[in-house]
Amino acid sequence: MLMIGLARLGNDPEVRFTPDGKAVMDLSLAFSYGRKVDGKQPTQWVNGTMWGDRCEKLRPHLAKGQLLFVSMTEPHVETYKRHDGTEGVTLRARVGELEFAGPKPDSQPQTPQNAGKYPSRSYAG
């Protein structure tokens, strides 16, 4: 199954390494869907995982609130134990492609002087 859409980063991504040195980056992605109810649009959270060298290269360019166009594969539901002992569920998927759909949230707003400063960049995996 393939999931494609616009999402915002819910947190700054974190890069970790497997025992054999392979980089892994976890992305908390918020996808809006459906109709607004009481002025709010529903959100589906997906925990995305990216593997390999591109994690270290992309990490400095990603920040909480960043708008991204993502393509994800292998979506599945995982269960986990919460701190209070109850069971929770989360939707997980592997990030295949990632494209910046806007500037970093802490960047300067687009003006005629800096238009084009934040070109769309695509990273396939």
Side-chain angles (χ1 to χ4, degrees):
M1 181 190 287
L2 180 66
M3 296 173 33
I4 299 173
L6 283 172
R8 287 214 182 265
L9 279 173
N11 295 313
D12 289 335
E14 295 181 20
V15 176
R16 56 189 164 80
F17 296 88
T18 63
D20 63 351
K22 189 179 243 185
V24 182
M25 183 165 52
D26 294 318
L27 302 167
S28 178
L29 299 164
F31 291 86
S32 297
Y33 69 94
R35 294 178 185 227
K36 287 184 179 181
V37 177
D38 296 327
K40 290 186 175 183
Q41 194 164 10
T43 302
Q44 176 62 60
W45 288 91
V46 179
N47 292 319
T49 305
M50 184 180 287
W51 292 79
D53 295 337
R54 64 190 177 140
C55 299
E56 293 177 271
K57 293 173 186 171
L58 282 172
R59 173 59 196 101
H61 305 287
L62 297 170
K64 179 180 179 178
Q66 177 92 43
L67 185 62
L68 303 169
F69 180 78
V70 293
S71 167
M72 304 173 83
T73 60
E74 304 172 21
H76 59 283
V77 175
E78 286 186 3
T79 59
Y80 64 94
K81 266 212 176 173
R82 294 186 178 123
H83 295 297
D84 65 4
T86 61
E87 190 173 272
V89 295
T90 185
L91 181 58
R92 292 196 172 275
R94 186 176 185 139
V95 176
E97 291 187 38
L98 179 146
E99 185 173 322
F100 293 90
K104 281 177 76 169
D106 61 352
S107 297
Q108 299 174 10
Q110 289 281 23
T111 64
Q113 291 79 22
N114 68 6
K117 184 175 177 184
Y118 308 104
S120 175
R121 296 165 295 195
S122 181
Y123 297 90

